[in-house]
């Protein structure tokens, strides 16, 4: 018996899905959650297939019958209705995403979870300023290498050399995305890799390993000119060589003194993935000192702002502390990372892959990828402790030499018993 609208409307859900049959392959599928779907069953190439015709009541019984009738006409012409529907969808997508700007915005939408909101806005602003006004409305399949060259040439002409590579890469990824959707056949950005001027890479200033003792001496000597917590922030930067933003947003909740680990959450990491920083004994001791000072404040941050304790310290705190040591052109807050990478490799002999993982960098070879998945935590814990011990050793040697040169007594390394005053700080 054929269906009626009253039967469709009155169909109640059951524990399992069931069908209400109309005629010639058309039926209404009733789901346990109450949803109702139109389906058309047919055979094509000796295979039974189903064609989705919409959701009831958005698609009425009459409309479903008409769609089933159109599908039967296609079958008579030896056309598979399902494949025909897919092709229509592909053409619709192709038509909707035809202008370069629309494709670019669709590509950017796929990156929303991967990028931070701030980075997304940056890419959006750059595309709005430098790309969309010139080729945004052009069909993406019609854009050639020369078209993209002329657009990026405008960036070069105004002297913004630092943007050229980025904008070429952004556009290249848009074209790759378009190729995956079948919207274009080539990526014109690939031919522009060496077509423009480049600016010299500016590395973050960093002292050499041989200069660490003098740096620590200057930091100690100028302790009265800096807040104690700022001095500790600088020292922890040296001990852990995390990124400046990761340091300033450090929270007590992320510190595990028992396991001697600092667990950085994804939201503060450049990689947007959780990360573990092993803490040396020296780092734990320093953090316990910090907690003695800031524990009386109602703050979640390890290094709170000097005035607004519920906020993290200012972005340039460590950098300006370094400047106050008269090292403006020799060292930066980010420079601790470069310093550690070189010194640990050359002075302590650790494998480059272990160091790169601790820097939260993506390894460059297959072995490194395997280490990255395993996090290589045991080796990193050993490395971080030996790094802290090395820093103590060279600084004490420096002080001993300085005192002996002045015919004074030799400096003795502090005993582990000196930590007892801080052992109960949670």
């Amino acid at each position: 018996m054929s269906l009626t609208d009253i039967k469709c409307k009155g169909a109640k859900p059951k524990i399992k899905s069931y069908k209400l049959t109309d005629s010639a392959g058309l039926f209404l599928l009733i789901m346990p959650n109450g949803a109702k779907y139109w389906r058309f069953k047919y055979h094509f190439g000796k295979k039974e297939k189903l064609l989705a015709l919409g959701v009831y009541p958005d698609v009425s019984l009459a409309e479903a019958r008409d769609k089933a009738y159109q599908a039967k006409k296609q079958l008579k012409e030896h056309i598979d209705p399902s494949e025909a529907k897919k092709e229509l969808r592909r053409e619709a997508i192709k038509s909707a995403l035809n202008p370069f700007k629309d494709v670019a915005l669709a590509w950017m939408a796929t990156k929303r979870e991967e990028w931070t909101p701030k980075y997304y806005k940056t890419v959006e602003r750059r595309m709005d300023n430098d790309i969309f006004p010139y080729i945004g409305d052009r069909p993406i399949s019609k854009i050639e290498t020369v078209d993209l060259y002329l657009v990026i040439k405008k960036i070069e002409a105004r002297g913004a050399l630092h943007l050229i590579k980025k904008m070429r890469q952004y556009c290249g990824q848009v074209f790759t995305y378009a190729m995956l959707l079948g919207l274009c056949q080539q990526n014109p950005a690939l031919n522009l890799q060496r077509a423009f001027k480049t600016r010299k890479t500016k590395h973050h200033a960093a002292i050499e390993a041989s200069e660490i003792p003098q740096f620590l001496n200057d930091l100690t000597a100028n302790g009265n000119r800096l807040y104690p917590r700022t001095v500790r922030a600088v020292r922890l930067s040296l001990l852990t060589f995390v990124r400046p933003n990761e340091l300033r947003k450090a929270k007590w909740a992320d510190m595990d003194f028992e396991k001697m680990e600092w667990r950085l959450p994804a939201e503060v990491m450049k990689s947007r993935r959780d990360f573990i920083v092993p803490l040396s004994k020296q780092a734990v001791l320093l953090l316990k000192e910090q907690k003695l000072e800031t524990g009386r404040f109602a703050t979640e941050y390890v290094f709170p702002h000097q005035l607004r304790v519920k906020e993290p310290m200012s972005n340039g705190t460590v950098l300006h502390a370094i400047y106050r040591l008269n090292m403006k052109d020799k060292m930066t807050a980010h420079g601790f990372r470069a310093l550690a990478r070189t010194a640990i490799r050359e002075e302590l002999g650790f494998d480059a892959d272990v160091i790169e993982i601790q820097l939260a960098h993506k390894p460059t070879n297959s072995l490194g990828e395997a280490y990255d998945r395993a996090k290589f935590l045991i080796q990193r814990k050993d490395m971080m402790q030996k790094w802290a011990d090395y820093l103590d050793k060279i600084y004490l040697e420096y002080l001993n030499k300085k005192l002996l040169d002045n015919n004074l007594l030799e400096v003795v390394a502090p005993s582990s018993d000196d930590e007892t005053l801080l052992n109960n700080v949670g």
Side-chain angles (χ1 to χ4, degrees):
M1 184 181 292
S2 298
L3 288 175
T4 64
D5 193 55
I6 292 176
K7 283 184 180 179
C8 295
K9 189 180 295 183
K12 303 297 183 185
K14 298 180 181 179
I15 295 176
K16 294 183 179 180
S17 61
Y18 67 97
K19 296 186 288 187
L20 293 180
T21 303
D22 185 51
S23 61
L26 177 65
F27 64 89
L28 186 64
L29 181 64
I30 316 298
M31 304 300 290
N33 63 0
K36 302 174 182 180
Y37 301 104
W38 289 113
R39 296 289 186 265
F40 173 62
K41 183 173 73 173
Y42 66 98
H43 288 82
F44 191 87
K46 297 183 180 180
K47 289 184 179 179
E48 183 177 289
K49 305 184 79 172
L50 283 177
L51 178 66
L53 300 180
V55 181
Y56 180 86
D58 295 339
V59 175
S60 68
L61 173 59
E63 289 172 324
R65 284 173 176 166
D66 183 60
K67 289 185 176 186
Y69 173 74
Q70 297 300 327
K72 290 173 192 173
K73 285 180 63 176
Q74 290 177 319
L75 287 168
K76 287 181 180 179
E77 297 172 4
H78 306 288
I79 298 172
D80 185 342
S82 292
E83 291 303 316
K85 184 178 179 181
K86 289 177 185 176
E87 182 59 31
L88 281 174
R89 189 182 294 118
R90 281 193 290 266
E91 288 301 319
I93 293 173
K94 196 171 181 178
S95 175
L97 299 181
N98 196 32
F100 178 89
K101 182 176 180 178
D102 287 355
V103 182
L105 293 175
W107 164 72
M108 288 168 58
T110 68
K111 299 290 185 180
R112 273 197 179 274
E113 291 187 8
E114 181 181 335
W115 293 345
T116 63
K118 182 179 178 181
Y119 188 70
Y120 185 92
K121 284 291 185 186
T122 297
V123 177
E124 186 177 49
R125 185 184 70 253
R126 288 174 177 173
M127 296 294 274
D128 280 338
N129 292 342
D130 293 316
I131 306 297
F132 292 160
Y134 309 106
I135 58 172
D137 295 330
R138 296 273 301 277
I140 196 162
S141 60
K142 303 297 182 183
I143 297 173
E144 299 180 357
T145 299
V146 65
D147 301 314
L148 190 58
Y149 170 80
L150 292 174
V151 171
I152 298 181
K153 194 72 178 172
K154 295 177 184 295
I155 301 173
E156 182 188 66
R158 74 168 194 265
L161 303 184
H162 63 290
L163 286 180
I164 290 176
K165 183 179 178 181
K166 277 292 183 187
M167 300 315 296
R168 179 180 58 77
Q169 288 176 338
Y170 294 154
C171 291
Q173 291 182 57
V174 172
F175 282 108
T176 297
Y177 178 73
M179 290 171 70
L180 291 173
L181 293 177
L183 303 180
C184 66
Q185 300 299 317
Q186 63 170 344
N187 186 343
L190 294 178
N191 301 320
L192 299 178
Q193 292 184 8
R194 293 181 175 83
F196 304 99
K197 296 176 185 176
T198 57
R199 66 168 185 168
K200 249 182 196 178
T201 303
K202 187 177 180 181
H203 298 287
H204 296 284
I207 59 175
E208 301 292 333
S210 60
E211 298 176 280
I212 295 174
Q214 182 66 56
F215 175 81
L216 289 171
N217 189 68
D218 292 345
L219 182 63
T220 303
N222 286 275
N224 60 340
R225 298 175 58 212
L226 301 169
Y227 288 109
R229 72 183 74 163
T230 301
V231 174
R232 293 188 200 105
V234 175
R235 289 185 182 276
L236 194 64
S237 294
L238 180 59
L239 285 167
T240 62
F241 45 93
V242 295
R243 294 180 177 88
N245 191 53
E246 295 160 1
L247 179 81
R248 81 182 194 89
K249 291 185 177 179
K251 295 181 179 179
W252 289 117
D254 302 327
M255 301 296 176
D256 189 327
F257 290 160
E258 188 175 336
K259 291 185 177 180
M260 299 177 70
E261 292 177 356
W262 173 7
R263 294 181 172 268
L264 285 158
E267 57 264 26
V268 303
M269 293 296 295
K270 185 178 179 181
S271 64
R272 315 314 295 171
R273 295 179 181 178
D274 294 341
F275 187 68
I276 297 175
V277 176
L279 296 172
S280 62
K281 293 176 183 177
Q282 292 87 333
V284 171
L285 191 65
L286 183 150
L287 286 165
K288 287 182 176 181
E289 289 176 355
Q290 178 67 4
K291 198 161 191 180
L292 281 175
E293 180 195 341
T294 62
R296 64 183 185 276
F297 301 134
T299 179
E300 61 182 332
Y301 293 103
V302 175
F303 297 106
H305 193 280
Q306 295 292 346
L307 302 176
R308 300 180 298 276
V309 294
K310 291 190 177 181
E311 298 177 15
M313 68 180 180
S314 300
N315 196 33
T317 299
V318 171
L319 181 63
H320 288 119
I322 293 170
Y323 286 175
R324 295 193 73 175
L325 302 180
N326 296 318
M327 302 195 75
K328 185 171 183 178
D329 298 322
K330 295 185 66 177
M331 189 60 177
T332 61
H334 214 283
F336 290 113
R337 295 169 62 75
L339 169 62
R341 175 197 277 128
T342 303
I344 292 175
R345 181 75 185 275
E346 294 180 357
E347 304 296 330
L348 303 182
F350 277 88
D351 189 279
D353 282 312
V354 183
I355 301 169
E356 292 305 309
I357 291 169
Q358 188 54 52
L359 288 163
H361 287 166
K362 183 179 179 181
T364 56
N365 56 42
S366 58
L367 182 62
E369 291 287 357
Y371 287 159
D372 189 37
R373 287 191 293 272
K375 294 192 176 179
F376 220 9
L377 193 55
I378 294 174
Q379 290 85 346
R380 290 194 287 125
K381 284 190 174 186
D382 179 50
M383 181 182 75
M384 296 300 274
Q385 185 57 56
K386 286 181 177 174
W387 169 241
D389 292 342
Y390 167 77
L391 294 174
D392 282 350
K393 175 177 173 289
I394 60 173
Y395 183 44
L396 286 169
E397 287 175 350
Y398 169 86
L399 292 178
N400 281 330
K401 184 178 183 305
K402 189 175 180 182
L403 293 175
L404 287 171
D405 286 346
N406 289 284
N407 296 316
L408 296 175
L409 293 175
E410 183 176 3
V411 175
V412 179
S415 165
S416 59
D417 292 340
D418 293 337
E419 299 179 16
T420 54
L421 290 176
L422 299 170
N423 280 342
N424 294 323
V425 180

